[in-house]
Amino acid sequence: MEINIGQHILNAHQEITAKNKEVLLKHGVLTINLMGSPGAGKTSVLEALISKMKSSVRMAVIEGDLYTSKDAERIEASGVPAVQINTRGACHLDGKMIEWAMQQLPLADVDLLIIENIGNLVCPAEFDLGEDLRISVLSVTEGEDKIPKYPLMFKDSAAVILNKVDLLPYTDFNMEDFYRDLRLLNPDVAIFEVSCRLDKGMDEFTVWLKSKIKTN
Amino acid sequence: MHEVGLMQSLLKMIETYSREYRLQKISRVVLHVGKLSNAAPEALQFAFEAISPGTLVDGAELVIEQPEGRTRCTACGQEFASKMARWTCPECGQPVVIIAGQELHLQTLEGDQEEETNGD
């Protein structure tokens, strides 16, 4: 007997993500999928954001790592509820993990949910977590050639944060190529040059993100 | 891409449809893997063979068809056949969107249905 199906292999996953998105919509939560290489500065960006925003915006964080709860602990120390997902080997977060994490957060009291994805420029770009916006972090020490090398990651980002600009004098990072290649891929992307360590540039990013919450 | 994970998801899907259509043994699985999807057919084939032993797709033929890729420019509206994922329009250099070739579908299942048991 032959049966015609024509359904996406990951249909079951997509359905879970669609349900998650409905729940977040119902609670009026703006959801960010924060991505970037290991060590780019995702958690540092989050810590800086929290210190500038937590008095006016109710935030919550879902942390994704293979192992340890180090990042969730850092976030909680900043005064914001965080749930740690340990994938124990999986290289990206998926809808089922997010569904589990969401159940542990007081979503009715959250305006802004940030999902810090696994440090990885490849796989997370391919999995929709039901987010409203994707934000990626690239650090100066990684090199400007990562933009054309990982197009899906940077093409789908609403904002790209270039971190560790304090290290520019010690690298050969080509700023001109960075801006040119990024704008070619993604003409409307918002670009922020920051140094989390020296508290440079994060105020501008905070203003931008706040404007997204207001229009949500 | 994650071919083994994809094949495990595929197996779950096949098991669900088999229950629904009362198929007890699958003889053929046809997938549509678009040329612009990020899944590699050889790796999918390899992963399928690796996970099939002892399952209801053990010994089944896996056929992978690859629909062609097409992109459309967001600025000038022109459409192009695309062999590889491309991000900018060859005519005007503006960003393009992919409109075909990213399928990752279970298209067809062939198998033996359970026989109706006639009570004696």
Side-chain angles (χ1 to χ4, degrees), chain A residues 1-11 13 91-92 123 126-127 151-152 155 184-187, chain B residues 1-2 6 9-10 13 17 21 23 31 38 87-88 95-96 104-111 113:
Chain A
M1 177 186 185
E2 185 181 290
I3 314 163
N4 289 318
I5 298 167
Q7 211 174 52
H8 197 285
I9 292 173
L10 295 177
N11 188 58
H13 278 266
C91 46
H92 60 273
C123 319
E126 296 173 21
F127 291 88
L152 195 58
K155 180 178 166 68
L184 210 65
L185 263 186
N186 189 349
Chain B
M1 252 269 166
H2 308 84
L6 278 174
S9 293
L10 175 67
M13 204 177 206
Y17 278 103
Y21 288 89
L23 300 176
L31 299 183
N38 289 317
W87 314 105
T88 52
V96 299
L104 202 57
H105 289 175
L106 168 60
Q107 199 59 29
T108 318
L109 267 185
E110 269 179 45
Q113 246 184 340

Side-chain angles (χ1 to χ4, degrees), chain A residues 96-114:
Chain A
K96 202 140 180 68
M97 301 169 190
I98 299 301
E99 180 189 54
W100 172 84
M102 278 168 60
Q103 285 160 0
Q104 299 170 62
L105 288 169
L107 293 176
D109 302 322
V110 174
D111 304 311
L112 177 66
L113 173 65
I114 302 183

Side-chain angles (χ1 to χ4, degrees), chain A:
Chain A
M1 177 186 185
E2 185 181 290
I3 314 163
N4 289 318
I5 298 167
Q7 211 174 52
H8 197 285
I9 292 173
L10 295 177
N11 188 58
H13 278 266
Q14 291 172 343
E15 283 182 352
I16 295 174
T17 293
K19 283 207 187 88
N20 292 342
K21 206 176 164 80
E22 254 182 62
V23 172
L24 292 167
L25 213 70
K26 188 177 82 175
H27 292 295
V29 181
L30 182 78
T31 307
I32 309 285
N33 189 349
L34 185 65
M35 302 187 269
S37 297
K42 298 182 289 300
T43 313
S44 299
V45 161
L46 268 183
E47 284 171 320
L49 200 62
I50 289 169
S51 75
K52 293 176 195 297
M53 256 184 153
K54 71 173 179 212
S55 54
S56 53
V57 176
R58 300 175 303 175
M59 297 172 71
V61 172
I62 296 176
E63 278 291 343
D65 284 294
L66 268 65
Y67 294 101
T68 81
S69 55
K70 285 172 190 277
D71 286 355
E73 285 162 24
R74 279 169 70 175
I75 300 303
E76 296 228 323
S78 293
V80 158
V83 177
Q84 179 77 58
I85 299 172
N86 283 141
T87 68
R88 295 202 274 229
C91 46
H92 60 273
L93 294 176
D94 67 25
K96 202 140 180 68
M97 301 169 190
I98 299 301
E99 180 189 54
W100 172 84
M102 278 168 60
Q103 285 160 0
Q104 299 170 62
L105 288 169
L107 293 176
D109 302 322
V110 174
D111 304 311
L112 177 66
L113 173 65
I114 302 183
I115 303 169
E116 187 187 324
N117 216 315
I118 308 289
N120 180 345
L121 287 180
V122 184
C123 319
E126 296 173 21
F127 291 88
D128 177 22
L129 299 180
E131 69 273 6
D132 296 296
L133 295 172
R134 289 184 167 188
I135 296 174
S136 50
V137 182
L138 180 77
S139 65
V140 150
T141 46
E142 293 168 67
E144 75 287 339
D145 61 343
K146 299 305 167 289
I147 301 295
K149 282 187 180 183
Y150 298 91
L152 195 58
M153 169 67 61
F154 297 107
K155 180 178 166 68
D156 286 352
S157 292
V160 172
I161 296 171
L162 181 66
N163 190 26
K164 307 188 188 177
V165 292
D166 50 313
L167 297 182
L168 277 169
Y170 307 101
T171 72
D172 295 323
F173 190 87
N174 188 321
M175 199 59 90
E176 211 181 289
D177 284 0
F178 166 73
Y179 273 94
R180 184 202 60 212
D181 288 341
L182 185 50
R183 293 220 179 278
L184 210 65
L185 263 186
N186 189 349
D188 299 325
V189 71
I191 305 173
F192 300 95
E193 294 179 28
V194 315
S195 164
C196 289
R197 225 173 112 256
L198 301 182
D199 191 15
K200 191 181 166 224
M202 280 304 295
D203 288 322
E204 287 87 337
F205 175 66
T206 305
V207 166
W208 178 86
L209 189 55
K210 272 192 171 159
S211 73
K212 297 297 174 190
I213 301 172
K214 283 192 172 64
T215 59
N216 188 37

